[in-house]
Amino acid sequence: MKDVFTVLLLLDDKDLVDNASEALAKQKYRIVHATTAHEAKLKYSNEEFHMAVIGMDIKGVNAQDFVEMIRRKERLRAVKDKIPVLVVGKNPEEFASHLATIDNVKYIESPFSTIEFKKKLLTFGGHSDTISNNTKTIRKGEYLLTEGGTSHEMYWILSGCFTITKLNQDDKNVIIGEVLPGELVGEMSFLDNLPRSASVRAKEDCEVLVIPHKKFIDVLDNQPRWFRTLMQTLSERLRKADAKIVHKHVVAEESQTKEE
């Protein structure tokens, strides 16, 4: 059974709740919502949370007190890893004065979009600069990857939807799948260093996180030699599977585009 990661969401603005919930759901969090400090404290006392999102502008909520309560309970339980706390507000100066020095606490200004919230979640991994520099926007109709291309990066889909196509024996682009938020694409060339096996085109405006190939090579260099062989074997099998799939599909990309 997979671990369930639970987040306490202490927000009272519907739009903020909806945007945060959408981003958290895509990251596979279980969400427990509260709208008052009393309700949030009761829920926090009764179960284990892996993250907390706290609004600074909710009547009756003192974000600093709430965060200090979380850290105090962690100290009493001798918890080694402090849970991430994301503070939502309209006054960054107030956050800087009272909360910025507390470990593993970050700030996001209100209002925010789903993608802005998702990017902020990613910064808790300690790679905020890398994430910011490697986020890429792909407009509707543009190609993220083209079949036969020689790039080797992998991409993590942050928002939007992509269509995966492959040329058939009649040189028509045949649709073989889609890629949705939270999924990876470009993994085969990333693993085996061979040209791109398919094209990936944006069905709408999309945002992706670029995962550089060199980082993976650095990881592989620290693994046993059989591990690299395993990765290449899996990639080879995926390429062969895609080649078989394309012969069974009859829907060309341009046909679906006309229908849409």
Side-chain angles (χ1 to χ4, degrees), residues 49-64:
F49 288 91
H50 301 87
M51 183 179 180
V53 179
I54 303 169
M56 292 177 65
D57 304 315
I58 303 174
K59 186 177 180 181
V61 172
N62 185 310
Q64 182 180 358

Side-chain angles (χ1 to χ4, degrees), residues 94-188:
E94 183 182 351
F95 172 82
S97 299
H98 302 293
L99 289 153
T101 58
I102 303 176
D103 287 346
N104 216 20
V105 177
K106 298 191 178 184
Y107 176 80
I108 183 170
E109 190 163 359
S110 170
F112 53 76
S113 66
T114 298
I115 188 64
E116 288 169 339
F117 190 88
K118 188 184 295 185
K119 286 181 182 178
K120 184 60 69 170
L121 288 180
L122 292 172
T123 67
F124 279 109
H127 304 292
S128 55
D129 291 337
T130 301
I131 288 164
S132 175
N133 294 336
N134 288 287
T135 300
K136 184 176 182 180
T137 299
I138 309 297
R139 299 300 178 192
K140 180 178 178 180
E142 292 181 353
Y143 282 91
L144 175 63
L145 301 173
T146 54
E147 187 172 353
T150 56
S151 64
H152 301 298
E153 295 86 1
M154 183 165 62
Y155 301 92
W156 185 29
I157 312 306
L158 296 174
S159 69
C161 176
F162 289 90
T163 299
I164 305 174
T165 64
K166 190 169 176 62
L167 288 171
N168 64 9
Q169 62 270 28
D170 298 320
D171 286 333
K172 287 187 177 181
N173 269 325
V174 174
I175 298 170
I176 61 173
E178 288 187 342
V179 192
L180 302 172
E183 297 180 342
L184 294 169
V185 70
E187 72 282 355
M188 283 191 280

Side-chain angles (χ1 to χ4, degrees), residues 21-52:
S21 297
E22 182 180 349
L24 289 163
K26 287 176 179 177
Q27 301 302 313
K28 311 302 182 185
Y29 277 99
R30 171 178 167 263
I31 301 164
V32 176
H33 184 215
T35 57
T36 68
H38 178 68
E39 181 185 7
K41 287 177 181 178
L42 281 176
K43 290 181 175 179
Y44 188 82
S45 299
N46 289 322
E47 62 180 299
E48 181 182 359
F49 288 91
H50 301 87
M51 183 179 180

Side-chain angles (χ1 to χ4, degrees), residues 144-235:
L144 175 63
L145 301 173
T146 54
E147 187 172 353
T150 56
S151 64
H152 301 298
E153 295 86 1
M154 183 165 62
Y155 301 92
W156 185 29
I157 312 306
L158 296 174
S159 69
C161 176
F162 289 90
T163 299
I164 305 174
T165 64
K166 190 169 176 62
L167 288 171
N168 64 9
Q169 62 270 28
D170 298 320
D171 286 333
K172 287 187 177 181
N173 269 325
V174 174
I175 298 170
I176 61 173
E178 288 187 342
V179 192
L180 302 172
E183 297 180 342
L184 294 169
V185 70
E187 72 282 355
M188 283 191 280
S189 292
F190 188 83
L191 293 173
D192 62 20
N193 241 9
L194 294 176
R196 298 295 187 184
S197 64
S199 296
V200 178
R201 188 180 187 188
K203 291 185 70 176
E204 56 192 277
D205 288 351
C206 303
E207 241 181 324
V208 300
L209 180 68
V210 183
I211 304 173
H213 186 249
K214 184 180 182 304
K215 289 187 178 293
F216 182 67
I217 295 301
D218 291 343
V219 171
L220 277 185
D221 287 342
N222 293 319
Q223 303 299 323
R225 281 187 294 177
W226 61 262
F227 188 79
R228 187 188 290 261
T229 302
L230 172 63
M231 295 296 98
Q232 291 172 336
T233 300
L234 291 174
S235 181

